[in-house]
Amino acid sequence: MSDRVKHRQSKASALAKDGTLNPAPEKIRDQKFREDGFFDPRDIVQVKYEMLRRIFLNKMSVTEVSNEYPVSRPTPRLIVRDQLKVDPSWREPGYWHEMNSEEGG
C-alpha cells in the first residue's frame, strides 16, 4: 500500500472520529473538489465552508450552490442562522438577493 493511500485512509479515519466525514463525497460537483489537491470532498467542514464562500464571496445564488453541493436550498440558510448565528432576517423575501448585490454583485 502506498504512503499516499495510507495518508488518505488515516485522514478519513480522523474525519470519522471527529464526526466530520462527509457520507457522500462523490456527490460534490464543485470542480475544485474534483481536482487532486487541497480540497477534500470527504471533509464536511471544508465542504460547508466552500459552499458558503460561493454564496457570500462569489455571489452565487443559493440555487446554483445547491446544484454544486448536493443540499436542499434551505441548508445554506440554516447553516448561516444556526452555526454562524447571523441575524435571522434571512427569512425575509429578497434577503439573499440583496446580500449578493450589496457589494456590486
Side-chain angles (χ1 to χ4, degrees):
M1 186 179 302
S2 74
D3 288 340
R4 183 181 174 114
V5 171
K6 287 179 186 175
H7 172 74
R8 289 189 60 78
Q9 287 177 341
S10 65
K11 182 174 181 182
S13 297
L15 291 170
K17 181 180 176 186
D18 290 341
T20 58
L21 182 64
N22 184 357
E26 69 282 354
K27 292 183 179 179
I28 304 300
R29 293 184 194 104
D30 185 340
Q31 191 58 40
K32 72 175 133 277
F33 284 95
R34 294 280 156 232
E35 299 165 356
D36 193 27
F38 176 77
F39 296 97
D40 187 350
R42 299 172 303 159
D43 185 342
I44 196 69
V45 174
Q46 188 177 51
V47 169
K48 286 180 180 181
Y49 174 86
E50 287 301 314
M51 179 177 60
L52 294 175
R53 190 184 67 72
R54 302 280 272 173
I55 292 170
F56 291 106
L57 297 179
N58 293 108
K59 309 299 185 198
M60 288 180 69
S61 72
V62 172
T63 301
E64 290 172 314
V65 169
S66 297
N67 289 331
E68 286 193 7
Y69 300 84
V71 296
S72 65
R73 288 186 320 181
T75 299
R77 294 179 176 122
L78 295 174
I79 292 170
V80 169
R81 185 194 71 191
D82 297 341
Q83 295 179 4
L84 301 179
K85 308 296 185 208
V86 171
D87 182 343
S89 61
W90 62 267
R91 293 178 191 230
E92 297 173 10
Y95 174 79
W96 288 86
H97 175 72
E98 291 168 15
M99 181 184 302
N100 285 342
S101 64
E102 280 180 1
E103 294 182 20

